[in-house]
Amino acid sequence: MNPDQRHPASPDSPSAALGAETDGLRHLLVETIEARHTLAADAHLVSESRYGMGFGSQWRDLLDDTREALTDRGFESCRLAPGGHSIPVVNNCLVYVWRVPNHPDAVNEFASSPTRKSGFAVPPPEPGLWEPSLSDEHDAADNQNEGEVEQALRAVDDAMSVILVMIKSSPWRLHSVDWAVAVLDEDGKVELRGTEPIWVPEPDADASTSEVESFDSGAPIEPTVEAREQEETDPDA
């Protein structure tokens, strides 16, 4: 079955779900994630640990950092049962920031825990008299119109959309940050819609490797080979 047929009310992309908050949220997330990555990487180097468990435990700090960054700007958060993780809400979307484990089925298995699975059935909060915004172009008229749209959407689907922010990193480097709309299939597996990168490494970060001539273009430099002088035979050997 086509995923669009199973989840007809879910948006097709993060920008469709977040609307005017897309650019502002993207900037805030990147800033928050880079700051946490730097702290975690520095701590790993100082510890001289041979293992990455401590570095991987930053996932809880990432949830807290993101929630604090958004609630400080007036956004609400939602506490997921039974684990109690507080996840921020932007434009009636749960924004779940997650460092992806190095496993091929990690995304599909995202909702394997009861706490994460409960995030896919959370109703949106009641609209307030004033709605916070990360957009400079947001004004009172937009708030009023969005309120009307939100009420119409609730008649179609009572659960909030889940924006899954996926981080790939190591103690030596932040590799990528992508986001997508996450939905559950009939088996409780997570499917992604509209996946797109929101951060990629700067080109200069790969300068050391980009200067190396590729084998598929140009002529490789042949190594210098010198003939080895034949050792004299020891008559006493």
Side-chain angles (χ1 to χ4, degrees), residues 9-45:
S10 298
D12 293 327
S13 67
S15 59
L18 296 167
E21 307 304 323
T22 302
D23 291 340
L25 180 60
R26 180 191 294 113
H27 177 76
L28 182 144
L29 288 173
V30 169
E31 185 178 69
T32 304
I33 291 167
E34 284 186 314
R36 174 52 56 184
H37 169 78
T38 299
L39 290 172
D42 289 346
H44 181 83
L45 293 176

Side-chain angles (χ1 to χ4, degrees), residues 177-194:
V177 182
D178 300 328
W179 66 5
V181 177
V183 295
L184 285 182
D185 66 11
E186 296 170 345
D187 298 322
K189 306 296 184 184
V190 169
E191 299 173 350
L192 301 179
R193 287 184 175 185

Side-chain angles (χ1 to χ4, degrees), residues 98-143:
W98 180 49
R99 181 175 178 270
V100 183
N102 186 21
H103 187 278
D105 295 325
V107 173
N108 290 338
E109 300 294 337
F110 172 77
S112 58
S113 78
T115 301
R116 290 176 180 172
K117 191 171 185 178
S118 69
F120 291 87
V122 179
E126 292 295 328
L129 296 177
W130 175 81
E131 295 293 334
S133 176
L134 298 167
S135 171
D136 296 334
E137 299 177 355
H138 210 79
D139 56 23
D142 291 334
N143 284 331

